mmCIF file with all atom_site columns, all heavy atoms in Angstrom:
data_model
loop_
_atom_site.group_PDB
_atom_site.id
_atom_site.type_symbol
_atom_site.label_atom_id
_atom_site.label_alt_id
_atom_site.label_comp_id
_atom_site.label_asym_id
_atom_site.label_entity_id
_atom_site.label_seq_id
_atom_site.pdbx_PDB_ins_code
_atom_site.Cartn_x
_atom_site.Cartn_y
_atom_site.Cartn_z
_atom_site.occupancy
_atom_site.B_iso_or_equiv
_atom_site.pdbx_formal_charge
_atom_site.auth_seq_id
_atom_site.auth_comp_id
_atom_site.auth_asym_id
_atom_site.auth_atom_id
_atom_site.pdbx_PDB_model_num
ATOM 1   N N   . MET Z 1 1  ? -23.449 90.725 8.276  1.00 44.00 ? 1  MET Z N   1
ATOM 2   C CA  . MET Z 1 1  ? -24.926 90.630 8.170  1.00 44.00 ? 1  MET Z CA  1
ATOM 3   C C   . MET Z 1 1  ? -25.218 89.833 6.947  1.00 44.00 ? 1  MET Z C   1
ATOM 4   O O   . MET Z 1 1  ? -24.756 90.218 5.786  1.00 44.00 ? 1  MET Z O   1
ATOM 5   C CB  . MET Z 1 1  ? -25.509 92.007 8.001  1.00 44.00 ? 1  MET Z CB  1
ATOM 6   C CG  . MET Z 1 1  ? -26.937 92.019 7.802  1.00 44.00 ? 1  MET Z CG  1
ATOM 7   S SD  . MET Z 1 1  ? -27.744 91.773 9.384  1.00 44.00 ? 1  MET Z SD  1
ATOM 8   C CE  . MET Z 1 1  ? -29.223 92.653 9.198  1.00 44.00 ? 1  MET Z CE  1
ATOM 9   N N   . PRO Z 1 2  ? -25.905 88.675 7.036  1.00 51.00 ? 2  PRO Z N   1
ATOM 10  C CA  . PRO Z 1 2  ? -26.242 87.876 5.860  1.00 51.00 ? 2  PRO Z CA  1
ATOM 11  C C   . PRO Z 1 2  ? -27.136 88.596 4.844  1.00 51.00 ? 2  PRO Z C   1
ATOM 12  O O   . PRO Z 1 2  ? -28.016 89.417 5.222  1.00 51.00 ? 2  PRO Z O   1
ATOM 13  C CB  . PRO Z 1 2  ? -27.045 86.705 6.398  1.00 51.00 ? 2  PRO Z CB  1
ATOM 14  C CG  . PRO Z 1 2  ? -27.317 86.910 7.858  1.00 51.00 ? 2  PRO Z CG  1
ATOM 15  C CD  . PRO Z 1 2  ? -26.549 88.209 8.288  1.00 51.00 ? 2  PRO Z CD  1
ATOM 16  N N   . ASP Z 1 3  ? -26.917 88.421 3.511  1.00 52.00 ? 3  ASP Z N   1
ATOM 17  C CA  . ASP Z 1 3  ? -27.747 88.972 2.476  1.00 52.00 ? 3  ASP Z CA  1
ATOM 18  C C   . ASP Z 1 3  ? -29.092 88.315 2.455  1.00 52.00 ? 3  ASP Z C   1
ATOM 19  O O   . ASP Z 1 3  ? -29.277 87.234 3.123  1.00 52.00 ? 3  ASP Z O   1
ATOM 20  C CB  . ASP Z 1 3  ? -26.992 89.056 1.168  1.00 52.00 ? 3  ASP Z CB  1
ATOM 21  C CG  . ASP Z 1 3  ? -26.626 87.634 0.762  1.00 52.00 ? 3  ASP Z CG  1
ATOM 22  O OD1 . ASP Z 1 3  ? -27.350 86.699 1.004  1.00 52.00 ? 3  ASP Z OD1 1
ATOM 23  O OD2 . ASP Z 1 3  ? -25.647 87.501 -0.006 1.00 52.00 ? 3  ASP Z OD2 1
ATOM 24  N N   . ALA Z 1 4  ? -29.962 88.859 1.697  1.00 48.00 ? 4  ALA Z N   1
ATOM 25  C CA  . ALA Z 1 4  ? -31.275 88.320 1.566  1.00 48.00 ? 4  ALA Z CA  1
ATOM 26  C C   . ALA Z 1 4  ? -31.393 86.847 1.157  1.00 48.00 ? 4  ALA Z C   1
ATOM 27  O O   . ALA Z 1 4  ? -32.080 85.944 1.601  1.00 48.00 ? 4  ALA Z O   1
ATOM 28  C CB  . ALA Z 1 4  ? -32.228 89.143 0.673  1.00 48.00 ? 4  ALA Z CB  1
ATOM 29  N N   . GLN Z 1 5  ? -30.465 86.489 0.171  1.00 52.00 ? 5  GLN Z N   1
ATOM 30  C CA  . GLN Z 1 5  ? -30.467 85.140 -0.376 1.00 52.00 ? 5  GLN Z CA  1
ATOM 31  C C   . GLN Z 1 5  ? -29.980 84.274 0.700  1.00 52.00 ? 5  GLN Z C   1
ATOM 32  O O   . GLN Z 1 5  ? -30.511 83.056 0.889  1.00 52.00 ? 5  GLN Z O   1
ATOM 33  C CB  . GLN Z 1 5  ? -29.491 85.036 -1.596 1.00 52.00 ? 5  GLN Z CB  1
ATOM 34  C CG  . GLN Z 1 5  ? -29.384 83.643 -2.124 1.00 52.00 ? 5  GLN Z CG  1
ATOM 35  C CD  . GLN Z 1 5  ? -30.757 83.154 -2.617 1.00 52.00 ? 5  GLN Z CD  1
ATOM 36  O OE1 . GLN Z 1 5  ? -31.437 83.773 -3.295 1.00 52.00 ? 5  GLN Z OE1 1
ATOM 37  N NE2 . GLN Z 1 5  ? -31.089 81.939 -2.317 1.00 52.00 ? 5  GLN Z NE2 1
ATOM 38  N N   . THR Z 1 6  ? -28.894 84.553 1.548  1.00 52.00 ? 6  THR Z N   1
ATOM 39  C CA  . THR Z 1 6  ? -28.476 83.689 2.647  1.00 52.00 ? 6  THR Z CA  1
ATOM 40  C C   . THR Z 1 6  ? -29.664 83.523 3.640  1.00 52.00 ? 6  THR Z C   1
ATOM 41  O O   . THR Z 1 6  ? -29.737 82.315 4.114  1.00 52.00 ? 6  THR Z O   1
ATOM 42  C CB  . THR Z 1 6  ? -27.209 84.406 3.282  1.00 52.00 ? 6  THR Z CB  1
ATOM 43  O OG1 . THR Z 1 6  ? -26.256 84.652 2.370  1.00 52.00 ? 6  THR Z OG1 1
ATOM 44  C CG2 . THR Z 1 6  ? -26.677 83.497 4.406  1.00 52.00 ? 6  THR Z CG2 1
ATOM 45  N N   . ARG Z 1 7  ? -30.292 84.501 3.991  1.00 55.00 ? 7  ARG Z N   1
ATOM 46  C CA  . ARG Z 1 7  ? -31.440 84.367 4.924  1.00 55.00 ? 7  ARG Z CA  1
ATOM 47  C C   . ARG Z 1 7  ? -32.462 83.445 4.352  1.00 55.00 ? 7  ARG Z C   1
ATOM 48  O O   . ARG Z 1 7  ? -32.989 82.586 5.067  1.00 55.00 ? 7  ARG Z O   1
ATOM 49  C CB  . ARG Z 1 7  ? -32.078 85.690 5.308  1.00 55.00 ? 7  ARG Z CB  1
ATOM 50  C CG  . ARG Z 1 7  ? -31.257 86.499 6.222  1.00 55.00 ? 7  ARG Z CG  1
ATOM 51  C CD  . ARG Z 1 7  ? -32.017 87.741 6.757  1.00 55.00 ? 7  ARG Z CD  1
ATOM 52  N NE  . ARG Z 1 7  ? -32.374 88.670 5.703  1.00 55.00 ? 7  ARG Z NE  1
ATOM 53  C CZ  . ARG Z 1 7  ? -31.608 89.602 5.219  1.00 55.00 ? 7  ARG Z CZ  1
ATOM 54  N NH1 . ARG Z 1 7  ? -30.450 89.902 5.738  1.00 55.00 ? 7  ARG Z NH1 1
ATOM 55  N NH2 . ARG Z 1 7  ? -32.085 90.452 4.345  1.00 55.00 ? 7  ARG Z NH2 1
ATOM 56  N N   . ASP Z 1 8  ? -32.750 83.565 3.064  1.00 54.00 ? 8  ASP Z N   1
ATOM 57  C CA  . ASP Z 1 8  ? -33.682 82.583 2.371  1.00 54.00 ? 8  ASP Z CA  1
ATOM 58  C C   . ASP Z 1 8  ? -33.099 81.128 2.486  1.00 54.00 ? 8  ASP Z C   1
ATOM 59  O O   . ASP Z 1 8  ? -33.911 80.282 2.794  1.00 54.00 ? 8  ASP Z O   1
ATOM 60  C CB  . ASP Z 1 8  ? -33.939 82.943 0.988  1.00 54.00 ? 8  ASP Z CB  1
ATOM 61  C CG  . ASP Z 1 8  ? -34.843 84.196 0.887  1.00 54.00 ? 8  ASP Z CG  1
ATOM 62  O OD1 . ASP Z 1 8  ? -35.495 84.641 1.915  1.00 54.00 ? 8  ASP Z OD1 1
ATOM 63  O OD2 . ASP Z 1 8  ? -34.847 84.857 -0.269 1.00 54.00 ? 8  ASP Z OD2 1
ATOM 64  N N   . ASP Z 1 9  ? -31.861 80.942 2.176  1.00 55.00 ? 9  ASP Z N   1
ATOM 65  C CA  . ASP Z 1 9  ? -31.248 79.656 2.259  1.00 55.00 ? 9  ASP Z CA  1
ATOM 66  C C   . ASP Z 1 9  ? -31.424 79.042 3.577  1.00 55.00 ? 9  ASP Z C   1
ATOM 67  O O   . ASP Z 1 9  ? -31.688 77.791 3.726  1.00 55.00 ? 9  ASP Z O   1
ATOM 68  C CB  . ASP Z 1 9  ? -29.729 79.745 1.951  1.00 55.00 ? 9  ASP Z CB  1
ATOM 69  C CG  . ASP Z 1 9  ? -29.342 79.989 0.521  1.00 55.00 ? 9  ASP Z CG  1
ATOM 70  O OD1 . ASP Z 1 9  ? -30.242 79.929 -0.417 1.00 55.00 ? 9  ASP Z OD1 1
ATOM 71  O OD2 . ASP Z 1 9  ? -28.251 80.406 0.312  1.00 55.00 ? 9  ASP Z OD2 1
ATOM 72  N N   . LEU Z 1 10 ? -31.206 79.749 4.680  1.00 58.00 ? 10 LEU Z N   1
ATOM 73  C CA  . LEU Z 1 10 ? -31.385 79.256 6.061  1.00 58.00 ? 10 LEU Z CA  1
ATOM 74  C C   . LEU Z 1 10 ? -32.701 79.130 6.543  1.00 58.00 ? 10 LEU Z C   1
ATOM 75  O O   . LEU Z 1 10 ? -33.070 78.187 7.251  1.00 58.00 ? 10 LEU Z O   1
ATOM 76  C CB  . LEU Z 1 10 ? -30.489 80.239 6.965  1.00 58.00 ? 10 LEU Z CB  1
ATOM 77  C CG  . LEU Z 1 10 ? -29.006 80.254 6.902  1.00 58.00 ? 10 LEU Z CG  1
ATOM 78  C CD1 . LEU Z 1 10 ? -28.400 81.461 7.475  1.00 58.00 ? 10 LEU Z CD1 1
ATOM 79  C CD2 . LEU Z 1 10 ? -28.446 78.951 7.296  1.00 58.00 ? 10 LEU Z CD2 1
ATOM 80  N N   . ASP Z 1 11 ? -33.644 79.936 6.114  1.00 65.00 ? 11 ASP Z N   1
ATOM 81  C CA  . ASP Z 1 11 ? -34.984 79.989 6.583  1.00 65.00 ? 11 ASP Z CA  1
ATOM 82  C C   . ASP Z 1 11 ? -35.912 79.025 5.905  1.00 65.00 ? 11 ASP Z C   1
ATOM 83  O O   . ASP Z 1 11 ? -36.945 78.607 6.474  1.00 65.00 ? 11 ASP Z O   1
ATOM 84  C CB  . ASP Z 1 11 ? -35.559 81.381 6.661  1.00 65.00 ? 11 ASP Z CB  1
ATOM 85  C CG  . ASP Z 1 11 ? -34.858 82.307 7.672  1.00 65.00 ? 11 ASP Z CG  1
ATOM 86  O OD1 . ASP Z 1 11 ? -34.265 81.703 8.553  1.00 65.00 ? 11 ASP Z OD1 1
ATOM 87  O OD2 . ASP Z 1 11 ? -34.931 83.496 7.391  1.00 65.00 ? 11 ASP Z OD2 1
ATOM 88  N N   . ASN Z 1 12 ? -35.681 78.808 4.620  1.00 67.00 ? 12 ASN Z N   1
ATOM 89  C CA  . ASN Z 1 12 ? -36.619 78.093 3.758  1.00 67.00 ? 12 ASN Z CA  1
ATOM 90  C C   . ASN Z 1 12 ? -36.103 76.701 3.372  1.00 67.00 ? 12 ASN Z C   1
ATOM 91  O O   . ASN Z 1 12 ? -36.612 76.160 2.250  1.00 67.00 ? 12 ASN Z O   1
ATOM 92  C CB  . ASN Z 1 12 ? -36.905 78.962 2.503  1.00 67.00 ? 12 ASN Z CB  1
ATOM 93  C CG  . ASN Z 1 12 ? -37.618 80.255 2.776  1.00 67.00 ? 12 ASN Z CG  1
ATOM 94  O OD1 . ASN Z 1 12 ? -38.420 80.309 3.720  1.00 67.00 ? 12 ASN Z OD1 1
ATOM 95  N ND2 . ASN Z 1 12 ? -37.186 81.206 2.148  1.00 67.00 ? 12 ASN Z ND2 1
ATOM 96  N N   . ALA Z 1 13 ? -35.249 76.115 4.153  1.00 71.00 ? 13 ALA Z N   1
ATOM 97  C CA  . ALA Z 1 13 ? -34.715 74.888 3.765  1.00 71.00 ? 13 ALA Z CA  1
ATOM 98  C C   . ALA Z 1 13 ? -35.162 73.706 4.716  1.00 71.00 ? 13 ALA Z C   1
ATOM 99  O O   . ALA Z 1 13 ? -35.749 74.006 5.835  1.00 71.00 ? 13 ALA Z O   1
ATOM 100 C CB  . ALA Z 1 13 ? -33.129 74.950 3.773  1.00 71.00 ? 13 ALA Z CB  1
ATOM 101 N N   . ARG Z 1 14 ? -34.939 72.493 4.268  1.00 90.00 ? 14 ARG Z N   1
ATOM 102 C CA  . ARG Z 1 14 ? -35.206 71.365 5.124  1.00 90.00 ? 14 ARG Z CA  1
ATOM 103 C C   . ARG Z 1 14 ? -34.004 71.212 6.095  1.00 90.00 ? 14 ARG Z C   1
ATOM 104 O O   . ARG Z 1 14 ? -32.897 71.174 5.634  1.00 90.00 ? 14 ARG Z O   1
ATOM 105 C CB  . ARG Z 1 14 ? -35.198 70.078 4.211  1.00 90.00 ? 14 ARG Z CB  1
ATOM 106 C CG  . ARG Z 1 14 ? -36.548 70.153 3.371  1.00 90.00 ? 14 ARG Z CG  1
ATOM 107 C CD  . ARG Z 1 14 ? -36.579 68.853 2.466  1.00 90.00 ? 14 ARG Z CD  1
ATOM 108 N NE  . ARG Z 1 14 ? -35.420 68.476 1.848  1.00 90.00 ? 14 ARG Z NE  1
ATOM 109 C CZ  . ARG Z 1 14 ? -34.887 68.993 0.717  1.00 90.00 ? 14 ARG Z CZ  1
ATOM 110 N NH1 . ARG Z 1 14 ? -35.536 69.994 0.198  1.00 90.00 ? 14 ARG Z NH1 1
ATOM 111 N NH2 . ARG Z 1 14 ? -33.832 68.591 0.200  1.00 90.00 ? 14 ARG Z NH2 1
#
Side-chain angles (χ1 to χ4, degrees):
M1 178 79 149
D3 60 29
Q5 180 61 45
T6 302
R7 284 191 297 274
D8 288 345
D9 289 346
L10 290 165
D11 294 335
N12 299 322
R14 294 179 313 281

